Amino acid sequence: MAVNSKTLGILGGGQLGRMSAMAAERLGITTHIYCPEAGCPASLVAPHFTCAKYEDEQALKEFANAVDVISYEFENIPLKTIEFLQTLKPVYPDSKLLEVSQNRLKEKEFLNSIDIPTAPWAPCRKSDDIKVTLESWKTGQCIIKTARFGYDGKGQVFHRDSDNISDSWSSLNTEEAVIEGIIDFDFEVSIIIARDLQGQMAVYPPVKNEHKNHILDKTFYPAPLPENLQAEAAEMARKIADAVNLVGVLTLELFVTKDGALIANEIAPRTHNSGHWTIDACKVSQFENHVRCVTGLSVGDPAPHSAAEMHNLIGDDIERLETYEKMENAYIHLYGKTEARKGRKMGHVTILKE
Ligand code: AMP
């Protein structure tokens, strides 16, 4: 019998790439990491590593020649790189989805075009756009986010009634942004979906996320969501996955409003920090499912076997390791980063519950 012995190329060398490479290894799939940073977390566990810039066509060609299929572990890979690689080898998820998730304006347009609700929004290219939008919304406050390259609360400003509009606009130092109405949410959830080449899907249950300093701090499964909202979140995820012909894993972040509605915030065309708990608490983790789907295997069973809590170890949180080590039900994951800088994700801990 022939056995799947593919080589998977992964662009990006962070912890998401690392945990994907570890999942691939268990399936007998070889990984090849491509990242401009020597010693990056994924390169430390993958058998093959190319250290080169995302713009280096020769290195990209050699990388494509050495692998069967290509994926990426973060969405800020230049679109051109993905488009170039697509001419050489299959790349999943494809450049269309990447393009949508790299630009908040395109992302909102896309979500609304398939009837997925978002916060009220308007494009912003000059400070006057903020004034006009706020007047038409009859409010004095909003969030303004750069259209591209925002993450962990970076590239956004909360504009209050008392703030000067041009100051808020110039603080973003950008040419294109989105103005968003403020959602008075109760809490935030995310939902992860995997879809294979045959179009079969596996949806993980939604989880509740808590942030600290705009960075994910803790994830809780199960989320305190009524069954109808759980089903609605899963339906939204399926709708998006089908609409973009997803191959691989996609994450949808949602606000749960105080009156029990779900509002989409953003999509990530990749595995997600809020899915790390699936390694220890589910039959098939988000990482294994991503690898399965992009390498042509069928999507695996996402069913959780335990309730779980995930705690990120950010910067100095690493000093709390000893406490976690003493906990019988705590599963520690460290990413091989040797320097604990402020805001840097050093590892995470999954605490299994009954
Ligand atoms: P984002 O970069 O879009 O994920 O936003 C970072 C965080 O800012 C979110 O996790 C929310 O806590 C908050 N936030 C973003 N957009 C809104 C919004 N429209 N209304 C209220 N809070 C928001």
Side-chain angles (χ1 to χ4, degrees):
M1 190 188 143
V3 176
N4 184 330
S5 61
K6 287 194 168 148
T7 298
L8 166 62
I10 301 175
L11 296 157
Q15 57 269 15
L16 300 177
R18 177 182 172 100
M19 289 184 270
S20 298
M22 289 161 84
E25 188 241 12
R26 262 188 59 218
L27 298 173
I29 291 166
T30 306
T31 47
H32 186 145
I33 304 296
Y34 187 111
C35 173
E37 208 182 301
C40 60
S43 71
L44 304 176
V45 301
H48 305 286
F49 177 48
T50 297
C51 187
K53 293 201 169 118
Y54 294 123
E55 295 77 14
D56 183 340
E57 282 205 0
Q58 188 52 37
L60 288 170
K61 252 190 223 163
E62 283 166 24
F63 169 70
N65 279 337
V67 303
D68 297 296
V69 58
I70 299 169
S71 188
Y72 45 89
E73 59 113 46
F74 78 120
E75 59 269 43
N76 286 335
I77 305 274
L79 195 58
K80 264 190 153 174
T81 303
I82 301 293
E83 285 167 347
F84 176 68
L85 288 171
Q86 261 174 191
T87 64
L88 304 170
K89 284 285 155 73
V91 181
Y92 301 122
D94 70 12
S95 59
K96 282 193 296 285
L97 174 58
L98 183 67
E99 191 176 3
V100 163
S101 47
Q102 277 185 347
N103 185 309
R104 289 185 193 269
L105 293 168
K106 288 188 182 159
E107 184 176 61
K108 295 235 176 340
E109 255 166 33
F110 162 68
L111 288 168
N112 294 165
S113 77
I114 56 167
D115 294 326
I116 293 192
T118 57
W121 65 277
C124 183
R125 293 183 179 95
K126 54 186 184 311
S127 107
D128 205 43
D129 293 338
I130 303 171
K131 186 168 167 279
V132 172
T133 302
L134 291 180
E135 273 166 17
S136 83
W137 288 352
K138 298 187 174 39
T139 175
Q141 55 178 25
C142 62
I143 296 187
I144 316 158
K145 303 176 180 174
T146 56
R148 298 165 64 81
F149 303 123
Y151 68 99
D152 289 345
K154 293 189 179 73
Q156 55 181 274
V157 57
F158 195 119
H159 175 83
R160 291 178 178 77
D161 249 331
S162 53
D163 295 334
N164 178 289
I165 287 182
S166 8
D167 288 350
S168 293
W169 171 242
S170 48
S171 74
L172 284 175
N173 193 20
T174 187
E175 283 171 10
E176 193 178 48
V178 59
I179 306 166
E180 277 187 37
I182 312 279
I183 303 295
D184 184 20
F185 61 81
D186 195 5
F187 56 94
E188 295 179 75
V189 297
S190 55
I191 186 157
I192 293 175
I193 186 164
R195 186 173 180 275
D196 65 23
L197 274 160
Q198 285 70 44
Q200 300 182 92
M201 295 189 253
V203 190
Y204 291 90
V207 289
K208 179 182 169 192
N209 295 321
E210 285 179 5
H211 298 82
K212 210 162 71 182
N213 303 323
H214 299 286
I215 302 176
L216 182 68
D217 182 39
K218 294 193 171 91
T219 292
F220 301 87
Y221 166 73
L225 265 190
E227 257 176 44
N228 64 319
L229 289 190
Q230 298 207 21
E232 198 181 309
E235 203 35 53
M236 285 181 180
R238 281 195 204 93
K239 205 173 184 180
I240 295 171
D242 266 335
V244 296
N245 210 5
L246 174 73
V247 177
V249 160
L250 174 149
T251 306
L252 169 65
E253 293 179 33
L254 297 153
F255 300 126
V256 184
T257 64
K258 293 194 171 130
D259 48 2
L262 295 178
I263 309 252
N265 179 29
E266 61 183 359
I267 47 181
R270 54 167 172 80
T271 55
H272 198 262
N273 195 168
S274 67
H276 290 0
W277 65 282
T278 63
I279 299 176
D280 299 302
C282 295
K283 172 111 195 298
V284 176
S285 75
Q286 63 163 351
F287 298 105
E288 178 173 340
N289 255 334
H290 184 68
V291 171
R292 295 184 71 87
C293 293
V294 300
T295 58
L297 295 173
S298 56
V299 71
D301 181 0
H305 48 73
S306 307
E309 229 174 271
M310 189 285 305
H311 296 188
N312 262 342
L313 299 173
I314 299 171
D316 292 344
D317 288 347
I318 198 80
E319 286 163 19
R320 292 211 300 262
L321 256 189
E322 245 180 68
T323 315
Y324 289 116
E325 277 164 0
K326 287 186 190 127
M327 288 168 69
E328 227 175 77
N329 51 346
Y331 294 78
I332 295 170
H333 301 254
L334 301 176
Y335 306 149
K337 299 179 187 176
T338 47
E339 201 191 328
R341 289 196 292 268
K342 189 168 178 271
R344 193 171 199 210
K345 290 175 180 166
M346 304 300 294
H348 73 269
V349 183
T350 306
I351 300 159
L352 293 187
K353 307 270 169 158
E354 287 312 305

